[in-house]
Amino acid sequence: MNPKASLILGIVCISFSPILVKLADASPIVSGFYRMTLAWMVLAPYVLVKGNLRIAKKDLLLALLGGVVFAADIAVWNMSLILISATVSTLIANLAPLWVGLMSYIFFKKIAGPLFWTGTFIAIAGMVILVGVNNLLHLQINAGLLLALGASMLYAMYILLTKGILQRVNTITFMFYSMLASAIFLLIICIIQRDNLLRYQPITWFHFASMGILCQLVGWITINYAIMHLEATKVSISLLTQTVIACFLAALLLNEKLEVKEIVGSVIVLVGIAVTFLKRKKLNNF
C-alpha cells in the first residue's frame, strides 16, 4: 500500500474516535474497554496463527506497561469528551508532543531547539485564548479541558515509555500485548465502578465495534505502516489534521458549534504544535 495513502486512511479512521464516543450510549470507560477489547479479539487470531508472540522480557514489560498507560489515556480522554466538544477535546489531547519535549528536557536532560520552545509558547498562548483569560485568573477552568490536558500528558508518557520498542519488536506483536494490557486494565475499572458491560442496544454495539476495528486496529496499523516509510516529522504534523477532520465530523454528525475564541485559540494551538515539529535547516558552506 502507498505509505501516503496509508497515512491518510489512518488519520481519517482515528478522527472518528471522539465522534463515536459521544454517540455511544455508554460510559466513557466502557467505550474505551470495548475499543481495546474488540480490536484485540480481531488481531489475536492472526498473531496466534502467524506465531508472532516471541518478545524479550524487557520489551514485554514495556509493552504491558505502555498498554496500561495508553488505557488510562483513552479513559481520561473519553471522560473529557462527555464534558466538552469533540473538537476542543481532540485538540488538547494533541498537545502530547509538547509534553514529550518538556519531559525529555526535565528527566533526560535532552535539550530542545529554539523552534520547539517557540512552538510551545505559541501553543500556550492559544490555550489561554481557548480557555479565556478571565477564567484562568479566577481558576474557573472546565473539568473537560483539564481531563483532556491530563490525557495529553498520559499519551506523552506512553510515547516516552515505548520509545524505541518498535525498532526491536514487530508492530503487530507489540499491539497484541499492549492492547491486551489495556483491555484488562479498563475491565478492572469497569468492574470496580459496576458499569453495565452487556445490556446495550444494537446501535451502541455498532459504535463499540467501529471504535475497536476502525479507530484502533485499522487506524493505528495504517499509521504505524506510514511511520515506517515516511519521515517521522511529516507524519507527526500530518496527524494534526485529525483535529480538523474531527471538527467537520462533529459539526456534521453531532451538530457541534464552536465559539469564536475556541476557533481562534484552536488554530493558534495547532500552529504552535506544528512549529515544534520543524527542524532548523543547516546552512551549507560553499
Side-chain angles (χ1 to χ4, degrees), residues 105-133:
Y105 176 74
I106 294 171
F107 298 112
F108 306 111
K109 305 303 179 183
K110 184 178 179 181
I111 300 175
L115 284 174
F116 171 80
W117 295 112
T118 300
T120 298
F121 285 121
I122 292 173
I124 291 173
M127 279 287 296
V128 171
I129 294 173
L130 190 65
V131 174
V133 176

Side-chain angles (χ1 to χ4, degrees), residues 9-248:
L9 175 61
I11 292 172
V12 172
C13 286
I14 64 174
S15 297
F16 275 93
S17 181
I19 311 303
L20 291 167
V21 171
K22 279 184 165 291
L23 289 174
D25 184 21
S27 81
I29 309 299
V30 171
S31 292
F33 166 69
Y34 278 114
R35 168 177 171 165
M36 306 310 298
T37 300
L38 295 177
W40 183 84
M41 289 175 65
V42 173
L43 182 66
Y46 173 83
V47 175
L48 293 172
V49 169
K50 291 291 185 179
N52 293 337
L53 292 173
R54 297 186 64 180
I55 184 173
K57 185 177 180 180
K58 178 183 177 181
D59 291 332
L60 174 60
L61 292 174
L62 284 174
L64 294 175
L65 181 58
V68 171
V69 174
F70 186 75
D73 162 46
I74 292 296
V76 174
W77 182 39
N78 284 2
M79 289 167 64
S80 79
L81 286 165
I82 305 301
L83 299 174
I84 57 177
S85 73
T87 302
V88 173
S89 179
T90 304
L91 170 74
I92 303 303
N94 273 285
L95 285 172
L98 302 185
W99 309 132
V100 170
L102 289 172
M103 290 178 186
S104 297
Y105 176 74
I106 294 171
F107 298 112
F108 306 111
K109 305 303 179 183
K110 184 178 179 181
I111 300 175
L115 284 174
F116 171 80
W117 295 112
T118 300
T120 298
F121 285 121
I122 292 173
I124 291 173
M127 279 287 296
V128 171
I129 294 173
L130 190 65
V131 174
V133 176
N134 288 331
N135 289 335
L136 280 176
L137 291 175
H138 295 88
L139 297 179
Q140 295 175 342
I141 303 175
N142 188 300
L145 286 173
L146 292 176
L147 286 168
L149 197 61
S152 70
M153 292 180 179
L154 283 167
Y155 190 61
M157 290 173 59
Y158 168 78
I159 293 172
L160 290 173
L161 271 174
T162 59
K163 184 180 179 181
I165 190 173
L166 290 176
Q167 296 176 356
R168 304 186 299 271
V169 179
N170 179 279
T171 301
I172 301 297
T173 303
F174 169 77
M175 291 181 70
F176 174 86
Y177 289 110
S178 176
M179 290 194 301
L180 178 60
S182 295
I184 293 173
F185 177 77
L186 290 170
L187 176 61
I188 292 172
I189 296 178
C190 288
I191 293 173
I192 292 173
Q193 294 186 163
R194 297 183 179 180
D195 285 324
N196 168 30
L197 289 171
L198 298 174
R199 298 186 300 276
Y200 291 105
Q201 296 296 320
I203 186 62
T204 300
W205 286 109
F206 171 77
H207 293 145
F208 289 156
S210 298
M211 288 181 218
I213 298 171
L214 182 72
C215 304
Q216 183 64 31
L217 201 58
V218 177
W220 285 106
I221 285 178
T222 50
I223 288 172
N224 284 331
Y225 175 81
I227 290 173
M228 291 170 61
H229 295 86
L230 300 174
E231 187 179 337
T233 302
K234 292 182 179 179
V235 173
S236 299
I237 294 176
S238 299
L239 284 172
L240 297 180
T241 58
Q242 175 195 359
T243 302
V244 179
I245 297 173
C247 177
F248 283 109

